Amino acid sequence: MNYNWDWSVFFKSTGIGSEIYLDWFITGLGWTVALSLSSWVIALLLGTVLGVMRTLPGRFAARFATVYVELFRNVPLLVQLFVWYFLVPDWLPEKLELWFKQDLHPATSAFISVTVCLGLFTAARVCEQVRTGIQALPRGQAMAAYALGLRLPQVYRKVLLPQAFRIIIPPLTSEFLNVFKNSSVASLIGLMELLAQTKQTAEFTANLFEAFTLATVIYFVLNMALMLIMRGVEKRVRVPGLIALGGK
Amino acid sequence: MIRFNNVNKWYGREHHVLKNINLKVNAGEVVVVCGPSGSGKSTLIRTINQLEPIEQGEIWVDEVQVNNPRTNINRLREEVGFVFQHFNLYPHLSVLDNITLAPIKVKKLAPEAARERALELLVRVGLEHKRDAYPSNLSGGQQQRVAIARGLAMQPKVMLFDEPTSALDPEMIGEVLQVMQDLAKSGMTMMVVTHEMGFAREVADRVIFLDHGEILEDTQPEWFFTRPQHERSRQFLRQVLAPMHG
Amino acid sequence: MKSMLRLGLVATALIAAGAHAEELTGTLKKIKDNGVIVIGHRDSSIPFSYLNNQKPIGYSMDLADQIVANVKKELKMPNLQVRYTLVTSQTRIPLVQNGTVDFECGSTTNNLERQKQVAFSVGIFEIGTRLLTKKTSGVKDFGDLSGKNVVTTAGTTSERLLKAMNAEKKLNMNIISAKDHGESFLMLESGRAVAFMMDDALLAGEMAKAKKPDDWAIVGKPQSYEIYGCSLRKDDPQFKKVVDDALKATFASPQMATIYKRWFQSPVPPKGLNLNFPMSQELKELLANPTDKSAEQM
Ligand SMILES: Nc1ncnc2c1ncn2[C@@H]1O[C@H](COP(=O)(O)OP(=O)(O)OP(=O)(O)O)[C@@H](O)[C@H]1O
Ligand SMILES: [Mg+2]
């Protein structure tokens, strides 16, 4: 294949101000990390609440959480993003709608939409992990806690969730990594995260392979770093006798 | 202290597990409950702190009606200690934290005070040197002694035991029974589901024999062992005592 | 004696063939050997190259047909098989380079960066980058955009120009880079942006698709001109000559006007929309003086 490799392309000017192409990658990485982390916070909080709801004795809470999971897990992410970005703002009161569409910086409104979308989508997946974790615990754990007079919230906070989280760290790690991959949907609504910046660099320079190679390396390093962090977390909170559930 | 008035319980529609139970346990009494597997012993003892609800009748602990919807069931549970067959210690907490969790969270005891009380109890069950260990590093007998200490830390009026020694290797049964015997001597009201007939004979004030959800015998240990009233209790005694003769 | 004669005949035939044409190399040899020519096309570059009922059609595809005809003639292979392969803006260059497709005709801009990777035929179209906006928006030219939200399609020259203009003239525009032209137009239609900067021919295509085409207008002085070309493998003068000759001959013939009219001034499939996009002065000049240079080189 007669391809012309040119690794110096990243240091060439983009023709916009004094930017070089490497700057685009850095900006893209910034967006990817910011998006993923904020979505993950939403997913973890909401997913935990929903996961707990699925294990509660009450019918209504469990039913609600089940419907939520079915809905958010089965509708494709792209469709959800479309809804959050193009439809939901139209349902807002007129003033708010105009503010969201025109006064907010487009990157900000896109960021909000993607974060909400990805957060709620991932919450459904986290919910299932949390539920699995809680249900994997022996029934006697909750019973012993209730027998001592602990209230339901205390039983979950002090006894069930700390154990459930420890055993689901591996599957949660892979969900966490998925958030980073899924954050690339942001490029569809014009938020220039890492993948979008890569494609753009490839388009502008025609140095497709260099651009995608660099992106691969960045994603790989990012993945490794996250994996090491999660490994560290797992090690720090490890207690003898609790065995983690297998990863995906 | 504990009273059952005409208590009936079903699992689902069909399965009538507790049939017309009438029973009284006085303060300071030690009552052993025995009976064949599946006769409803665990169910019976769990109804006392509402780990299992009942459909008919009344259960009272002191002046509190357990099965009254207006009763604060958590309050009641603070007063009734429960020891499980499988210990159910919290594996993610140290021995000390296992014991202090409920006093701090439920009784709102200051952590320091809770710790002091826990240490005293650990001395009492002979495990003060294990206070920082995790449950999985303890033997079964040690775990059950910690579980007893955990129950006692709430300073309950009654202690309930559901087959506390049946998950243990034989050489560890003694240490647990010893702790329970000391507890009985200290005047604790106790209801104990067990097949340890030695314990029943030596420590219990009364023995209750349960079969198919019915109380067939409710009598002093000597009477139970020497003159059981029902054919089924005789059969049961032959079975549980057989290995001792063998 | 008989065998001697046969040998002589064969030798004469060989010499004759050699004298007739120089030896085939590169793409032409590959096409001849395989008996098939592979054309890269796009799926939604209306009206240049897009799929309609699974078949690639469009202005650029009509020109590709002319190229194929010339290849057949050159190789004396009237029954040469033609195969179509879908390419995207990301795959088109590598697929040409690695020989998956023999040439690609779509809406590929000829520029210096790409010339390092592939060769271009003589230009087949020329666009200006302009603005699509609502007639009532009050936007008449690029100067009116300061402080406003403006959308363009990611990875296009328009995006680069818009960003550069924003930086240089401190216009304080908020620039949205949408995934594709359809998405850009959605941003415009849903009120997130007041204007959409893009190649004027493509803007005409988007406008024709709008619910009410009359509400929209293409405005502004073109910020740049771009020449589209078919892309082929570099350093293959034999094949390039066949391609360029075919195009030049077409440009010079009256057929060219028919092709243009068919795609830019008549209803086109799938919806029968009419772009109403008369031939620009720039394109007329390009067709009159074919060149394989990019606009920036002229
Ligand atoms: N949650 C439940 N739902 C339905 N049936 C149950 C449930 N728990 C227990 N049972 C059934 O009720 C009966 C009494 O159970 P229980 O556990 O009280 O017996 P037990 O006397 O403690 O037996 P063991 O000596 O085996 O512990 C058994 O037949 C059991 O299968
Ligand atoms: Mg039992």
Side-chain angles (χ1 to χ4, degrees):
Chain A
M1 182 160 161
N2 22 25
Y3 185 82
N4 279 321
W5 292 90
D6 179 9
W7 291 102
S8 68
V9 59
F10 300 120
F11 301 98
K12 289 188 178 154
S13 164
T14 59
I16 298 166
S18 57
E19 272 179 345
I20 55 173
Y21 287 106
L22 192 63
D23 293 331
W24 287 4
F25 283 83
I26 294 166
T27 312
L29 179 62
W31 279 120
T32 295
V33 169
L35 268 176
S36 307
L37 291 184
S38 29
S39 308
W40 183 243
V41 169
I42 294 177
L44 211 52
L45 292 177
L46 183 62
T48 303
V49 172
L50 289 164
V52 166
M53 281 168 75
R54 287 205 76 168
T55 62
L56 287 180
R59 271 283 147 107
F60 179 77
R63 188 77 51 83
F64 175 86
T66 310
V67 170
Y68 179 97
V69 168
E70 290 306 318
L71 191 69
F72 281 82
R73 214 172 42 166
N74 295 331
V75 175
L77 186 57
L78 286 187
V79 176
Q80 293 187 33
L81 182 60
F82 197 85
V83 171
W84 285 112
Y85 188 68
F86 286 111
L87 296 186
V88 172
D90 286 0
W91 302 333
L92 296 173
E94 173 127 15
K95 276 225 171 102
L96 213 57
E97 179 189 339
L98 286 181
W99 172 79
F100 189 78
K101 283 182 175 175
Q102 289 171 0
D103 296 350
L104 268 188
H105 193 281
T108 312
S109 65
F111 184 87
I112 293 171
S113 300
V114 181
T115 304
V116 169
C117 170
L118 199 53
L120 299 197
F121 172 80
T122 311
R125 308 181 60 91
V126 170
C127 163
E128 287 307 275
Q129 303 295 357
V130 170
R131 176 180 72 107
T132 313
I134 293 173
Q135 287 175 345
L137 301 175
R139 231 167 68 86
Q141 286 293 315
M143 222 188 292
Y146 284 122
L148 282 163
L150 288 164
R151 315 301 195 249
L152 185 135
Q154 296 172 325
V155 172
Y156 274 94
R157 252 199 351 259
K158 294 291 166 186
V159 177
L160 300 182
L161 287 176
Q163 296 184 55
F165 272 116
R166 282 178 171 89
I167 63 181
I168 61 172
I169 286 178
L172 275 189
T173 303
S174 90
E175 289 303 339
F176 190 28
L177 298 183
N178 275 336
V179 171
F180 277 82
K181 283 179 221 146
N182 288 337
S183 68
S184 64
V185 295
S187 65
L188 292 182
I189 57 170
L191 190 58
M192 299 299 285
E193 47 64 69
L194 186 51
L195 190 63
Q197 301 278 12
T198 306
K199 284 185 186 164
Q200 192 182 22
T201 304
E203 277 292 324
F204 280 16
T205 61
N207 289 103
L208 190 92
F209 289 108
E210 292 86 341
F212 279 94
T213 308
L214 180 60
T216 308
V217 170
I218 295 176
Y219 275 115
F220 181 78
V221 169
L222 199 59
N223 252 297
M224 287 318 257
L226 293 172
M227 214 126 84
L228 285 179
I229 291 170
M230 292 302 277
R231 248 329 129 72
V233 169
E234 192 178 0
K235 210 173 242 168
R236 270 200 61 167
V237 302
R238 177 179 298 161
V239 292
L242 264 184
I243 294 150
L245 294 174
K248 66 168 172 179
Chain B
M1 171 133 318
I2 303 174
R3 270 176 300 142
F4 281 68
N5 293 340
N6 294 318
V7 170
N8 281 284
K9 174 172 174 67
W10 286 263
Y11 280 126
R13 294 242 167 123
E14 300 292 306
H15 194 174
H16 196 174
V17 263
L18 295 180
K19 297 172 186 160
N20 225 23
I21 303 288
N22 283 290
L23 172 71
K24 213 170 150 186
V25 179
N26 295 315
E29 244 185 337
V30 176
V31 173
V32 161
V33 180
C34 62
S37 180
S39 57
K41 307 180 296 290
S42 296
T43 308
L44 176 78
I45 198 167
R46 283 176 184 176
T47 58
I48 298 170
N49 65 355
Q50 279 266 293
L51 287 179
E52 295 286 358
I54 60 170
E55 277 76 42
Q56 265 180 23
E58 294 173 359
I59 299 175
W60 294 79
V61 172
D62 268 348
E63 295 315 310
V64 181
Q65 189 187 344
V66 175
N67 59 319
N68 183 331
R70 259 177 296 172
T71 300
N72 180 342
I73 199 66
N74 292 307
R75 260 295 136 61
L76 175 92
R77 284 170 177 165
E78 296 171 27
E79 317 247 274
V80 179
F82 201 107
V83 175
F84 296 85
Q85 180 176 2
H86 294 286
F87 335 129
N88 296 345
L89 291 181
Y90 311 131
H92 61 297
L93 298 180
S94 69
V95 163
L96 207 59
D97 292 340
N98 260 277
I99 301 174
T100 57
L101 178 67
I104 293 173
K105 291 293 157 195
V106 180
K107 284 244 148 94
K108 307 291 176 207
L109 218 59
E112 251 331 289
R115 207 179 128 84
E116 243 164 64
R117 187 189 288 175
L119 286 173
E120 271 167 39
L121 287 164
L122 280 175
V123 171
R124 209 163 136 190
V125 300
L127 287 171
E128 69 274 27
H129 59 293
K130 291 289 188 192
R131 61 185 176 190
D132 295 321
Y134 280 89
S136 58
N137 294 330
L138 301 182
S139 73
Q142 290 172 329
Q143 288 190 51
Q144 195 60 297
R145 281 145 68 196
V146 172
I148 295 171
R150 180 173 70 175
L152 291 174
M154 293 297 281
Q155 300 183 310
K157 291 194 260 186
V158 188
M159 284 290 281
L160 307 175
F161 295 81
D162 189 0
E163 305 207 34
T165 57
S166 58
L168 298 179
D169 293 340
E171 70 270 21
M172 295 172 183
I173 293 176
E175 61 192 62
V176 172
L177 290 180
Q178 185 61 51
V179 167
M180 290 169 61
Q181 189 166 0
D182 293 347
L183 190 59
K185 269 197 203 128
S186 74
M188 176 62 76
T189 310
M190 292 162 63
M191 199 158 161
V192 184
V193 175
T194 185
H195 292 165
E196 291 299 327
M197 290 302 131
F199 179 84
R201 210 190 296 257
E202 279 166 42
V203 183
D205 297 306
R206 266 165 48 220
V207 175
I208 287 171
F209 178 73
L210 203 63
D211 190 40
H212 287 103
E214 273 178 289
I215 295 182
L216 294 188
E217 315 259 356
D218 180 352
T219 172
Q220 289 166 320
E222 304 101 85
W223 288 83
F224 179 66
F225 289 111
T226 53
R227 258 159 283 167
Q229 301 293 302
H230 288 78
E231 174 51 31
R232 276 189 268 171
S233 4
R234 279 193 285 276
Q235 208 182 332
F236 172 77
L237 277 172
R238 274 199 298 281
Q239 273 169 14
V240 285
L241 297 176
M244 291 192 185
H245 300 305
Chain C
M1 183 65 201
K2 237 181 187 177
S3 65
M4 272 284 273
L5 190 67
R6 191 178 292 161
L7 204 70
L9 278 173
V10 172
T12 330
L14 275 176
I15 292 160
H20 167 73
E22 53 192 304
E23 208 171 321
L24 288 182
T25 58
T27 306
L28 283 180
K29 179 169 169 15
K30 175 181 170 249
I31 293 169
K32 175 119 200 172
D33 290 349
N34 297 345
V36 56
I37 184 166
V38 189
I39 302 173
H41 68 91
R42 305 293 296 272
D43 66 347
S44 57
S45 282
I46 301 172
F48 294 97
S49 173
Y50 62 103
L51 285 172
N52 183 44
N53 293 329
Q54 325 281 6
K55 276 178 57 185
I57 57 170
Y59 173 85
S60 306
M61 299 319 288
D62 280 0
L63 293 175
D65 288 346
Q66 302 296 321
I67 294 172
V68 171
N70 200 31
V71 171
K72 283 180 179 169
K73 199 176 100 199
E74 202 66 25
L75 294 177
K76 303 205 177 54
M77 295 175 74
N79 296 321
L80 178 66
Q81 213 186 318
V82 181
R83 225 174 42 220
Y84 293 93
T85 292
L86 177 69
V87 301
T88 67
S89 58
Q90 261 114 52
T91 62
R92 57 190 168 188
I93 288 177
L95 290 183
V96 166
Q97 287 175 320
N98 74 9
T100 306
V101 303
D102 293 318
F103 70 97
E104 173 264 346
C105 280
S107 50
T108 303
T109 299
N110 178 347
N111 65 27
L112 290 175
E113 285 87 359
R114 287 176 185 159
Q115 283 178 15
K116 286 185 211 142
Q117 304 294 354
V118 290
F120 282 92
S121 70
V122 291
I124 58 172
F125 200 83
E126 181 155 1
I127 56 88
T129 45
R130 304 182 67 194
L131 292 171
L132 180 62
T133 185
K134 237 193 182 114
K135 279 181 180 160
T136 56
S137 74
V139 174
K140 294 273 168 282
D141 208 339
F142 286 86
D144 302 328
L145 293 177
S146 90
K148 301 231 163 81
N149 289 358
V150 184
V151 65
T152 179
T153 305
T156 58
T157 317
S158 293
E159 186 189 21
R160 196 200 309 228
L161 288 171
L162 200 57
K163 286 185 171 165
M165 190 195 310
N166 205 23
E168 278 159 29
K169 299 193 181 154
K170 303 213 164 43
L171 288 177
N172 258 325
M173 289 182 279
N174 297 319
I175 298 166
I176 310 175
S177 305
K179 184 194 60 151
D180 54 33
H181 306 319
E183 184 113 344
S184 293
F185 187 65
L186 200 56
M187 297 269 187
L188 183 65
E189 221 176 10
S190 70
R192 282 170 193 271
V194 293
F196 171 17
M197 175 171 176
M198 191 36 57
D199 303 359
D200 50 10
L202 296 173
L203 290 179
E206 292 303 326
M207 196 164 108
K209 279 193 273 177
K211 282 173 214 127
K212 289 188 193 155
D214 288 344
D215 288 356
W216 304 93
I218 296 174
V219 302
K221 179 173 165 295
Q223 291 303 297
S224 72
Y225 293 96
E226 287 179 29
I227 296 173
Y228 293 171
C230 297
S231 57
L232 26 144
R233 272 178 289 288
K234 271 174 79 121
D235 305 324
D236 189 354
Q238 217 177 39
F239 182 56
K240 182 166 158 45
K241 184 168 182 319
V242 175
V243 170
D244 283 346
D245 286 350
L247 291 173
K248 284 178 193 162
T250 311
F251 294 167
S253 80
Q255 205 182 352
M256 192 60 213
T258 320
I259 294 178
Y260 187 89
K261 215 175 187 120
R262 178 157 157 217
W263 296 105
F264 291 94
Q265 292 175 299
S266 339
V268 297
K271 292 198 188 141
L273 301 171
N274 187 338
L275 269 59
N276 288 318
F277 191 75
M279 194 182 283
S280 67
Q281 200 49 47
E282 288 77 21
L283 180 54
K284 279 180 193 154
E285 274 163 31
L286 178 72
L287 297 180
N289 309 294
T291 173
D292 61 5
K293 289 201 169 68
S294 71
E296 49 209 320
Q297 289 169 297
M298 316 227 341

